[in-house]
């Protein structure tokens, strides 16, 4: 079993991944002045395509050669992408950097929840996964102010990746291998159709979630009279770490089947209401939408790993979450196109897709208080 110190230090590396997730909306917003709303959205789409490939590939590596190798590789790749991003001088270089970063981030997301779940007890598994990712989501509290201060100097947002990754790599070399993986490493891998269910769940969930990071949200804020859109988007974004924090604390007290479902359903309702409101009410609705987007991650991260067997856990997780990120690539583009046609319909689309994800989660297994062997083996 992992110690609390080891969990905390794993979280440091994972926080680096989520720093790179949260800095993209600000980079995208600054780039939109030169590239336009559709082209700047492609920066986010490039990262999503990186997720698509990184999860399955690193998940397969972690399934065949060990979880430890998987979490080491993810840090190396994020470092490479962040270096290219820091020194980029063109849209193409920036898009390539975000693709590589997305590859590394999804490699991290595919392996860390599986590794932590396998190295934690049944009654602490949900909180262990939640607290490991909590530090990452709390990065939004830092990214927002840094982005507002940096303004057009967006390169600063790549700098933490270059610093933290070196520390994370050194520490991860000292971690033990997953005992559950070692016990089943020689077993033949068998396909599980549950992977397809969670692929659909993550696709729709990311379709909605990453749309909230795209240019139409900034445009809505501007059209509603908010002059400094980056500042007011940050107020909305702060709902995310609050949701993650609460979910991490409550993760083992709730049946994750229902808490995962409810977070997507309630976020969808809040999203639909956003264009209908103005002033503080709009900010509150956006905050609530982001709160439940944040709340879903500790619950869904743990829940996805729990619904997959040990042999296919990291690969299946990488396929479901990684390919599911295509929703994050498609969603913002469709959101931007629909927004240009009708603002209300665009937010209605995103809200309905979020709610669809919540409905599909009800098809998963009950997991509260059960060991991984009891749930799927």
């Amino acid at each position: 079993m992992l110690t609390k110190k080891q969990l905390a230090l794993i979280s440091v590396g994972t926080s680096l991944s989520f720093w790179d997730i949260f800095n993209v909306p600000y980079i995208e917003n600054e780039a939109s002045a030169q590239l336009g709303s559709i082209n700047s959205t492609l920066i986010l789409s490039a990262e999503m395509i990186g997720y698509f490939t990184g999860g399955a590939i690193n998940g397969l590596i972690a399934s065949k050669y060990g979880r430890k190798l998987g979490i080491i590789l993810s840090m190396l790749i994020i470092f490479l992408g962040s270096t290219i991003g820091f020194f980029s001088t063109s849209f193409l270089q920036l898009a390539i950097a975000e693709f590589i970063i997305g590859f590394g981030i999804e490699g991290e997301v595919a392996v860390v929840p599986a590794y932590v779940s396998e190295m934690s007890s049944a009654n602490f598994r949900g909180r262990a996964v939640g607290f490991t990712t909590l530090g990452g989501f709390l990065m939004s509290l830092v990214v927002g102010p840094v982005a507002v201060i940096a303004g057009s100097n967006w390169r600063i947002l790549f700098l933490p990746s270059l610093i933290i990754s070196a520390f994370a790599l050194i520490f991860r070399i000292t971690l033990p291998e997953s005992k559950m993986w070692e016990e089943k490493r020689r077993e033949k891998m068998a396909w599980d159709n549950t992977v397809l269910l969670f692929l659909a769940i993550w696709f729709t969930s990311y379709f909605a979630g990453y749309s909230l990071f795209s240019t139409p949200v900034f445009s809505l804020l501007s059209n509603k009279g908010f002059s400094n859109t980056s500042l007011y988007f940050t107020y909305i974004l702060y709902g995310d770490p609050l949701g993650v924090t609460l979910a991490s604390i409550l993760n083992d007290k709730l049946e994750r089947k229902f808490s995962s479902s409810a977070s997507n359903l309630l976020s969808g309702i809040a999203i639909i209401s956003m264009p209908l409101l103005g002033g503080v009410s709009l900010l509150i609705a956006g905050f609530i939408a982001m709160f439940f987007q944040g709340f879903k991650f500790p619950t869904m991260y743990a829940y996805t790993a729990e619904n997959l067997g040990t042999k296919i856990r990291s690969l299946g997780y990488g396929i479901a979450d990684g390919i599911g990120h295509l929703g994050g690539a498609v969603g913002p583009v469709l959101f931007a196109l629909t927004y240009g046609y009708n603002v209300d319909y665009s937010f209605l689309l995103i809200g309905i897709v979020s709610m669809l994800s919540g409905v599909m989660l009800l098809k998963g297994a009950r997991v509260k208080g059960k060991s991984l062997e009891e749930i799927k083996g």
Side-chain angles (χ1 to χ4, degrees):
M1 297 298 172
L2 294 170
T3 65
K4 291 183 179 179
K5 179 180 178 181
Q6 288 172 323
L7 286 171
L9 290 172
I10 291 172
S11 180
V12 171
T14 304
S15 69
L16 167 63
S17 301
F18 286 87
W19 172 281
D20 285 312
I21 292 173
F22 285 119
N23 69 16
V24 176
Y26 298 102
I27 295 172
E28 179 185 344
N29 188 38
E30 291 296 333
S32 64
Q34 290 80 36
L35 304 173
S37 62
I38 300 298
N39 285 339
S40 63
T41 299
L42 294 177
I43 297 172
L44 177 59
S45 296
E47 186 177 50
M48 297 301 104
I49 296 171
Y51 289 175
F52 165 71
T53 52
I57 292 174
N58 206 39
L60 177 61
I61 290 171
S63 291
K64 294 187 68 174
Y65 304 110
R67 314 298 197 219
K68 180 177 176 178
L69 178 60
I71 62 176
I72 289 173
L73 285 177
S74 63
M75 283 294 101
L76 280 170
I77 295 168
I78 291 171
F79 174 81
L80 174 61
S82 299
T83 302
I84 295 173
F86 185 79
F87 291 105
S88 62
T89 58
S90 68
F91 166 73
L92 179 60
Q93 291 174 358
L94 189 56
I96 291 172
E98 292 298 345
F99 169 80
I100 295 173
I101 289 170
F103 190 105
I105 289 173
E106 186 53 39
E108 178 85 351
V109 172
V111 181
V112 168
Y115 175 70
V116 173
S117 293
E118 291 168 1
M119 297 289 282
S120 303
S121 63
N123 293 327
F124 186 64
R125 189 171 61 240
R127 280 173 291 168
V129 173
F131 288 136
T132 301
T133 56
L134 175 60
F137 283 101
L138 290 179
M139 281 291 112
S140 63
L141 298 174
V142 183
V143 174
V146 171
V148 171
I149 294 170
S152 60
N153 297 317
W154 48 265
R155 294 177 192 278
I156 295 174
L157 296 175
F158 287 108
L159 191 58
S161 301
L162 304 179
I163 298 172
I164 300 175
S165 58
F167 168 80
L169 281 168
I170 293 170
F171 162 70
R172 291 185 176 196
I173 293 172
T174 68
L175 285 172
E177 183 57 88
S178 164
K179 300 300 181 185
M180 289 189 69
W181 175 80
E182 287 182 331
E183 290 171 0
K184 300 195 175 186
R185 62 184 301 179
R186 291 180 176 83
E187 289 185 8
K188 186 177 180 180
M189 193 178 299
W191 177 252
D192 185 348
N193 284 332
T194 305
V195 174
L196 298 179
L197 170 64
F198 278 88
L199 168 57
I201 289 169
W202 280 111
F203 182 93
T204 50
S205 188
Y206 282 134
F207 185 106
Y210 278 97
S211 292
L212 293 179
F213 280 17
S214 61
T215 49
V217 176
F218 291 95
S219 297
L220 179 67
L221 289 170
S222 179
N223 292 338
K224 294 289 185 176
F226 296 100
S227 57
N228 190 337
T229 55
S230 288
L231 174 62
Y232 288 101
F233 176 78
T234 300
Y235 292 151
I236 290 174
L237 181 62
Y238 278 0
D240 193 286
L242 180 60
V244 173
T245 301
L246 186 60
S248 297
I249 295 170
L250 299 177
N251 214 2
D252 286 310
K253 299 182 182 297
L254 303 172
E255 170 52 61
R256 282 184 282 280
K257 173 177 181 173
F258 301 123
S259 57
S260 297
S261 174
S263 59
N264 285 275
L265 290 168
L266 294 172
S267 181
I269 294 171
I271 291 169
I272 292 170
S273 73
M274 288 176 65
L276 307 177
L277 303 170
V280 175
S281 297
L282 167 59
L283 297 180
I284 292 173
F287 183 91
I288 292 172
M290 282 291 192
F291 172 85
F292 284 112
Q293 286 296 315
F295 192 95
K296 78 183 181 184
F297 281 107
T299 58
M300 287 179 64
Y301 279 160
Y303 192 59
T304 302
E306 290 165 330
N307 275 267
L308 300 172
T310 299
K311 189 62 181 177
I312 201 173
R313 185 167 290 122
S314 65
L315 174 59
Y317 201 118
I319 293 172
D321 191 82
I323 298 178
H325 268 93
L326 284 179
V330 173
V333 174
L334 291 181
F335 190 26
L337 291 172
T338 309
Y339 185 91
Y341 171 73
N342 185 290
V343 175
D344 293 345
Y345 287 170
S346 67
F347 280 83
L348 178 63
L349 168 67
I350 302 307
I352 289 175
V353 172
S354 178
M355 296 169 72
L356 178 61
S357 180
V359 171
M360 288 190 290
L361 276 159
L362 295 175
K363 294 182 176 292
R366 288 177 177 263
V367 298
K368 188 173 183 292
K370 296 181 179 180
S371 68
L372 291 176
E373 290 86 349
E374 290 179 271
I375 300 167
K376 210 63 184 276

